């Protein structure tokens, strides 16, 4: 029952064994000895007092402990606290950390503020919807959509050419409109030529109270001339029925491409037309028949494929 070297009667283990860490007795050179195998309590398994920087996470006291790898800009701080956005220290995965929760400054969620991050940077951005859709209320430049910005806003604008010039195919973000109608009056063919047919269209448009009534032209063809040579083929706006129903949205090329949005089936009196009168014109605006048929008084109807042939009047 003799104590070991350096042991006193107060520190000598009951079994009088040689001093060792983990025997539950605090012996010379040991700051502590709790006699257990738990390395994460106040006394480590090396009989050292737990401390930040020892590489062991002290349960309930430390969030992390990476030993010598603790410090600024690291995953674990010098105070053994885990790096987190808002702690004022730029940690792994962060480009900034201003230590506040203000998402309208130049640091948002610990990332440098940028357009389309979903937060409006005060004094820099007008809006920020956090998406790559350029045709909604907030453009990809983080500016509020408006007429004249060159971007067609879905459901709001028909066009946007980036200017406010009238007569260029888009004005105040609306396409110009030209009306197409079928005359409610039936003609048997004695119209006085194409000019006489045009005059009938003008009178019908005038009676209907349409604007620019003097500009209406008949969708008719002689042997040599048809709408493609008589109307404005450079037009880029919309063609609509007398009640505003769209027929073609993108000008002359859209009108003659064989796919109308709606048939030309409404008269100047807003009546419904159920038949396709003979116009001697194909859907592309060229004459259907270019050679007269001798000895016949009955004009053949156009081919079935010419589905858009109508005895109609167009605003040129």
């Amino acid at each position: 029952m003799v104590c070991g070297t350096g042991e006193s009667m107060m520190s000598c283990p009951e079994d009088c064994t040689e001093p060792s860490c983990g025997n539950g007795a605090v012996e010379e050179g040991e700051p502590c000895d709790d006699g257990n195998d738990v390395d994460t309590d106040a006394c480590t398994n090396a009989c050292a007092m737990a401390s930040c920087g020892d590489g062991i996470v002290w349960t309930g006291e430390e969030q992390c402990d990476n030993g010598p790898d603790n410090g600024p800009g690291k995953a674990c701080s010098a105070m053994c606290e885990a790096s987190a956005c808002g702690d004022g220290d730029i940690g792994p995965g962060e480009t900034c950390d201003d230590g506040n929760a203000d998402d309208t400054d130049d640091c948002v969620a610990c990332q440098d503020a940028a357009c389309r991050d979903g937060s409006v940077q005060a004094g820099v951005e007008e809006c920020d919807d956090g998406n790559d859709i350029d045709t909604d209320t907030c453009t990809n430049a983080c500016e509020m959509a408006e007429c004249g910005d060159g971007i067609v806003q879905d459901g709001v604008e028909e066009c946007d050419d980036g200017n406010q010039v009238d007569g260029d195919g888009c004005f105040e973000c609306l396409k110009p409109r030209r009306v197409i109608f079928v005359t409610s009056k039936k003609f048997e063919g004695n119209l006085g030529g194409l000019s006489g047919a045009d005059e009938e269209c003008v009178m019908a448009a005038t009676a209907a109270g349409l604007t620019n009534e003097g500009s209406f032209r008949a969708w008719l063809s002689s042997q040599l001339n048809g709408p493609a040579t008589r109307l404005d083929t450079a037009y880029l706006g919309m063609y609509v029925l007398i009640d505003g129903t769209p027929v073609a949205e993108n000008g002359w090329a859209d009108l003659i491409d064989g796919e109308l949005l709606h048939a030309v089936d409404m008269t100047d009196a807003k009546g419904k037309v159920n038949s396709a009168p003979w116009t001697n014109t194909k859907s592309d605006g060229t004459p259907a028949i270019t050679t007269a048929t001798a000895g016949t008084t009955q004009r053949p109807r156009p081919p079935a494929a010419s589905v858009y042939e109508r005895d109609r009047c167009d605003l040129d």
Side-chain angles (χ1 to χ4, degrees):
M1 302 294 292
V2 177
C3 291
T5 303
E7 292 184 324
S8 68
M9 294 301 294
M10 297 298 296
S11 64
C12 181
E14 293 182 1
D15 61 2
C16 294
T17 58
E18 290 291 327
S20 62
C21 179
N23 60 11
V26 178
E27 299 160 327
E28 185 177 4
E30 295 178 342
C32 62
D33 192 326
D34 54 11
N36 64 42
D37 293 328
V38 179
D39 204 26
T40 58
D41 56 10
C43 185
T44 71
N45 288 348
C47 290
M49 297 298 296
S51 63
C52 181
D54 61 9
I56 303 169
V57 179
W58 185 2
T59 302
E61 299 293 332
E62 299 173 341
Q63 294 179 353
C64 58
D65 196 326
N66 293 328
D69 203 28
N70 290 350
K74 302 296 183 64
C76 191
S77 74
M79 301 300 293
C80 287
E81 296 176 345
S83 176
C85 182
D87 60 10
D89 177 51
I90 302 175
E94 300 176 340
T95 58
C96 61
D97 195 323
D98 52 12
N100 65 49
D102 184 2
D103 280 347
T104 65
D105 56 14
D106 58 359
C107 186
V108 179
C110 292
Q111 300 297 320
D112 292 326
C115 181
R116 301 197 296 278
D117 61 11
S119 297
V120 179
Q121 188 176 356
V124 177
E125 301 172 335
E126 295 179 2
C127 59
D128 195 320
D129 53 11
N131 64 44
D132 293 326
I133 300 172
D134 207 24
T135 56
D136 55 12
T137 58
C138 185
T139 71
N140 286 348
C142 289
E143 298 173 346
M144 295 299 297
E146 62 180 8
C147 181
D149 60 11
I151 303 168
V152 179
Q153 187 178 354
D154 286 341
V156 178
E157 301 172 336
E158 294 178 354
C159 57
D160 196 321
D161 55 6
N163 64 52
Q164 294 293 346
V165 178
D166 194 6
D168 64 353
C170 185
F171 180 61
E172 294 182 348
C173 293
L174 295 173
K175 294 179 180 179
R177 284 159 167 71
R178 293 185 176 179
V179 176
I180 301 179
F181 66 86
V182 180
T183 56
S184 54
K185 181 180 178 182
K186 182 179 180 180
F187 301 97
E188 298 298 337
N190 186 16
L191 294 167
L194 295 177
S195 61
D198 291 343
E199 185 60 29
E200 294 292 347
C201 283
V202 169
M203 289 190 291
T206 302
L210 299 179
T211 58
N212 298 318
E213 64 278 5
S215 297
F216 279 84
R217 299 289 182 268
W219 183 271
L220 293 175
S221 297
S222 65
Q223 293 183 19
L224 300 177
N225 294 315
T229 58
R230 303 178 61 241
L231 302 183
D232 180 8
T233 58
Y235 177 61
L236 298 175
M238 295 178 65
Y239 290 95
V240 299
L241 298 182
I242 198 169
D243 65 351
T245 301
V247 173
E249 288 189 326
N250 299 306
W252 174 264
D254 196 16
L255 180 68
I256 64 171
D257 67 2
E259 296 183 2
L260 296 184
L261 296 175
H262 195 282
V264 181
D265 58 0
M266 183 172 290
T267 71
D268 49 308
K270 295 187 178 181
K272 183 74 172 179
V273 176
N274 296 316
S275 61
W278 168 251
T279 64
N280 192 37
T281 306
K282 294 187 291 186
S283 59
D284 62 0
T286 59
I289 296 177
T290 58
T291 303
T293 303
T296 180
T297 58
Q298 183 178 3
R299 299 174 180 174
R301 296 185 65 80
S306 300
V307 294
Y308 302 121
E309 294 174 6
R310 298 288 187 273
D311 186 10
R312 66 190 186 206
C313 301
D314 295 1
L315 179 61
D316 182 19

